[in-house]
Amino acid sequence: MAFGLKRDELTSWKKKVLAGEIAILTHYWLDNRFPGCTTVTKVGCNDLQKLTKWGRQYGLEAEWIHRDQKFPHFDLFGDKQRDILLSEKQWKQLEQFNLLTK
């Protein structure tokens, strides 16, 4: 279940993904399959080559891409999520979801 997300944030993320840009969006999320994870970051781009290359720099495998027809993306959790958000200078998302102190 996703929450803590504003409609304009989601709309902006979708527009960027469809335009072939790397788009990063974090939101609260609860799923019993991932105990201890309360947020997820979705990094999307409809240019799979570009998304694969972006992920490779962070040790992400192309097989991990959620191959949604319109909005392909990586799902990031935990330490990898925080490390990538730091590297990408996503300060607002890090602060908003209290990811700097974990």
Side-chain angles (χ1 to χ4, degrees):
M1 174 194 305
F3 52 99
L5 186 59
K6 295 178 182 153
R7 182 177 304 276
D8 63 322
E9 293 170 329
L10 180 58
T11 300
S12 175
W13 182 84
K14 286 180 174 182
K15 284 181 182 177
K16 288 178 182 176
V17 170
L18 291 172
E21 297 176 39
I22 297 294
I24 301 173
L25 178 70
T26 302
H27 60 80
Y28 288 111
W29 175 79
L30 294 176
D31 188 319
N32 292 334
R33 297 173 298 167
F34 301 93
C37 292
T38 58
T39 60
V40 61
T41 296
K42 296 189 176 290
V43 181
C45 180
N46 72 354
D47 179 337
L48 287 175
Q49 262 189 314
K50 187 174 186 179
L51 185 59
T52 299
K53 182 178 178 183
W54 179 90
R56 197 175 305 127
Q57 71 180 321
Y58 295 111
L60 304 177
E61 301 291 332
E63 297 82 38
W64 299 345
I65 296 172
H66 179 104
R67 293 181 184 268
D68 183 273
Q69 189 173 1
K70 288 177 81 175
F71 305 106
H73 63 275
F74 285 106
D75 288 320
L76 307 177
F77 309 92
D79 291 339
K80 183 66 87 172
Q81 174 190 26
R82 185 187 63 245
D83 293 347
I84 290 173
L85 287 171
L86 283 167
S87 185
E88 293 288 325
K89 298 177 177 46
Q90 296 294 308
W91 311 121
K92 181 181 176 204
Q93 293 182 53
L94 286 157
E95 291 172 8
Q96 179 179 354
F97 297 98
N98 198 32
L99 297 171
L100 288 169
T101 59
K102 291 185 179 184

